[in-house]
Amino acid sequence: MSKGEEEVKLLGAWPSPFVLRARIALNMKSVRYEFLQETFGSKSQLLLQSNPVHKKIPVLIHGDKPVCESLIIVEYIDQVWSSPPSILPSHPYDRAVARFWAAYLDEKWFPAMKSVQGAKGEEERKALMQQLEEGLALMESAYHSVSKGKPFFGGDRVGYLDIAFGCYLGWLRVIESFSGLKLLDHAKTPGLAQWAQAFCAHDAVKPVMPETDKLIEFAKVLMAKAPPK
Amino acid sequence: MSKGEEEVKLLGAWPSPFVLRARIALNMKSVRYEFLQETFGSKSQLLLQSNPVHKKIPVLIHGDKPVCESLIIVEYIDQVWSSPPSILPSHPYDRAVARFWAAYLDEKWFPAMKSVQGAKGEEERKALMQQLEEGLALMESAYHSVSKGKPFFGGDRVGYLDIAFGCYLGWLRVIESFSGLKLLDHAKTPGLAQWAQAFCAHDAVKPVMPETDKLIEFAKVLMAKAPPK
């Protein structure tokens, strides 16, 4: 069996934006994989063994080797299944820029997104919503400079930054629904609004992007367990 | 001028572990660069223009293009100056493992290191020291599995994870000096103790690794400005 033909398993859960990254990357490369879903609130033995440091999904298990952390998994998939389409840009500078924005989203923007539903009071919630909007304004301008008039951050094809950012779209819609505020719209973020549509309609994305209604139901269950203060 | 021959500038400051990463990578590739040091407590116009999102060093300016974030800079250097020695492991799994530990160090381990001197009271300080030690125990075991009996995480040569981890050695010595506790020693972490010695003696590292005494002086100035609570 060649390396690319070893068994592939993905430990995950359907509502996780990080698991979605791995699923989109696997779809782009037409890799067959077994999707092993963790039960919410508990961790399987296989997960604890495969990611003993963080104990978090996603974990990609390729043959007998576990690969952890969503963006590391995406890069791994791109390198192991190296036939086109490539996910990372080939030019070093484009690659550095894509990595920069992906890290910005995970480290600076996502924490605001994660906290907004559990915000302590209206003032904190407003501040977090503002952070989210400022981040989207930054990403709007990044979109124009990175995509250079093409539909995706990756140009004509979905690439690394499309996957890194696009995985959050479902949860962004949940926040829009709960807050009654449109965050990605054609007036404020015209480039991103168009990009989001193209991204969600992409063959590698559409079958795995969670439906907003299902995510809303899931979020309600979460909030019932840990209600906002 | 070919791409690799464009002018290279590094915005930095000698005590920064993150700037050190870029300097080591540039040394490994024998790249000539101008080192533009920021003054502590203020930010140059060039820095604000080159990294408007984070306004942080290091920034590598290659020709007219700024590259931000230390690990992204290291990968950029490895890809642009692609002649040996390579910095990233070539095998996708080894690469994923190196990235995993580098991210662990920056996201989980370094925050404890950063906070230990400013800890509020003895209890918090002890908890942070314990986190540091637990992290080092994890890295000791990672060292044995990743280096496979060779001197470096990168095998016979200094690689990505060596740079990612080794950049913290100077500050680790400062913490050892202030606390009177040996964190990296031949009894508790024999592999890492040996590795640290080999790393600091390496040709690409030795000329740029800050002296511990100078770092201690610098730390005292910092602490005088923001004394521990």
Side-chain angles (χ1 to χ4, degrees):
Chain A
M1 238 189 221
S2 85
K3 196 172 57 194
E5 288 161 4
E6 284 175 305
E7 209 179 27
V8 179
K9 291 176 185 163
L10 181 68
L11 307 189
W14 67 268
S16 158
F18 305 109
V19 172
L20 185 58
R21 288 176 174 169
R23 300 186 81 189
I24 294 170
L26 289 165
N27 284 354
M28 284 187 67
K29 299 287 187 169
S30 307
V31 178
R32 292 173 63 104
Y33 66 97
E34 193 181 348
F35 188 35
L36 299 172
Q37 295 214 60
E38 292 289 311
T39 312
F40 185 73
S42 74
K43 294 176 195 285
S44 70
Q45 266 309 310
L46 188 57
L47 174 60
L48 297 173
Q49 277 162 27
S50 310
N51 189 358
V53 174
H54 302 301
K55 305 175 181 71
K56 278 188 179 166
I57 51 171
V59 180
L60 184 83
I61 304 179
H62 186 200
D64 57 354
K65 291 193 161 67
V67 181
C68 306
E69 303 273 36
S70 64
L71 291 177
I72 296 175
I73 292 172
V74 169
E75 294 215 31
Y76 178 83
I77 291 168
D78 197 31
Q79 208 190 347
V80 170
W81 291 276
S82 54
S83 326
S86 22
I87 295 175
L88 265 293
S90 56
H91 189 283
Y93 185 72
D94 297 339
R95 201 174 268 217
V97 169
R99 285 199 176 111
F100 174 85
W101 287 114
Y104 165 77
L105 287 165
D106 283 7
E107 290 160 24
K108 301 283 173 192
W109 186 74
F110 174 66
M113 187 173 172
K114 196 179 167 184
S115 310
V116 77
Q117 274 318 115
K120 293 178 194 122
E122 193 54 17
E123 202 170 326
E124 188 178 304
R125 205 189 62 81
K126 270 195 185 158
L128 289 166
M129 288 297 281
Q130 196 183 331
Q131 275 180 46
L132 275 185
E133 292 201 87
E134 284 166 3
L136 291 176
L138 263 184
M139 291 310 297
E140 172 76 15
S141 110
Y143 173 71
H144 291 290
S145 76
V146 172
S147 68
K148 300 180 186 97
K150 303 280 177 70
F152 299 107
F153 285 93
D156 284 317
R157 58 169 198 259
V158 161
Y160 182 78
L161 181 51
D162 294 285
I163 296 174
F165 190 15
C167 77
Y168 291 126
L169 288 171
W171 282 101
L172 203 59
R173 288 187 189 127
V174 173
I175 292 173
E176 289 183 330
S177 160
F178 283 149
S179 67
L181 280 177
K182 194 93 182 122
L183 290 166
L184 268 196
D185 77 0
H186 289 278
K188 283 185 287 189
T189 53
L192 292 184
Q194 209 174 342
W195 161 78
Q197 233 165 5
F199 179 78
C200 292
H202 189 279
D203 282 351
V205 179
K206 204 175 172 183
V208 288
M209 177 62 83
E211 287 166 32
T212 310
D213 288 351
K214 273 185 74 184
L215 278 179
I216 289 174
E217 285 313 304
F218 180 78
K220 284 182 180 163
V221 172
L222 282 189
M223 285 158 68
K225 287 183 181 170
K229 287 120 201 163
Chain B
M1 238 187 223
S2 83
K3 196 171 58 192
E5 287 161 3
E6 285 174 306
E7 209 179 27
V8 179
K9 292 177 184 161
L10 181 68
L11 308 188
W14 68 268
S16 157
F18 305 110
V19 172
L20 185 57
R21 289 176 174 170
R23 298 186 81 191
I24 295 170
L26 289 165
N27 284 354
M28 284 188 65
K29 299 288 187 169
S30 306
V31 178
R32 293 172 63 104
Y33 65 98
E34 194 181 348
F35 188 36
L36 300 171
Q37 295 214 59
E38 292 289 312
T39 311
F40 185 74
S42 74
K43 293 177 195 285
S44 70
Q45 265 310 310
L46 188 57
L47 174 59
L48 296 174
Q49 278 162 26
S50 310
N51 190 359
V53 174
H54 302 302
K55 306 175 181 68
K56 279 190 178 163
I57 51 171
V59 180
L60 183 84
I61 304 180
H62 185 201
D64 58 355
K65 291 193 160 68
V67 181
C68 307
E69 303 273 36
S70 64
L71 291 176
I72 296 176
I73 292 172
V74 170
E75 295 214 30
Y76 177 83
I77 291 168
D78 197 32
Q79 207 190 347
V80 169
W81 291 276
S82 53
S83 326
S86 21
I87 295 175
L88 264 292
S90 57
H91 189 284
Y93 185 72
D94 297 339
R95 199 173 269 216
V97 169
R99 286 200 176 111
F100 174 86
W101 287 114
Y104 165 79
L105 287 164
D106 284 7
E107 290 160 25
K108 301 283 173 191
W109 186 75
F110 173 66
M113 185 172 173
K114 195 179 168 187
S115 309
V116 77
Q117 272 320 114
K120 294 178 193 123
E122 192 54 18
E123 201 169 328
E124 187 178 305
R125 205 191 62 81
K126 271 195 184 158
L128 289 166
M129 287 298 280
Q130 196 183 331
Q131 274 180 46
L132 275 185
E133 293 201 86
E134 286 167 2
L136 291 176
L138 262 183
M139 291 311 296
E140 172 76 14
S141 110
Y143 173 72
H144 291 289
S145 76
V146 172
S147 68
K148 300 180 186 95
K150 304 281 176 70
F152 299 109
F153 285 94
D156 285 317
R157 57 168 197 260
V158 161
Y160 181 78
L161 182 52
D162 295 285
I163 296 175
F165 189 16
C167 77
Y168 291 125
L169 288 171
W171 282 101
L172 203 60
R173 288 187 189 127
V174 173
I175 292 173
E176 288 182 331
S177 160
F178 284 148
S179 67
L181 281 177
K182 195 94 180 120
L183 290 165
L184 268 197
D185 78 359
H186 290 277
K188 282 186 289 189
T189 53
L192 292 185
Q194 210 175 339
W195 161 78
Q197 235 166 4
F199 180 78
C200 293
H202 189 279
D203 281 353
V205 178
K206 205 175 171 183
V208 288
M209 176 63 82
E211 289 166 31
T212 310
D213 289 351
K214 274 186 73 185
L215 277 180
I216 288 174
E217 284 314 306
F218 180 78
K220 283 181 180 163
V221 173
L222 282 190
M223 284 158 67
K225 289 185 180 169
K229 286 121 203 164

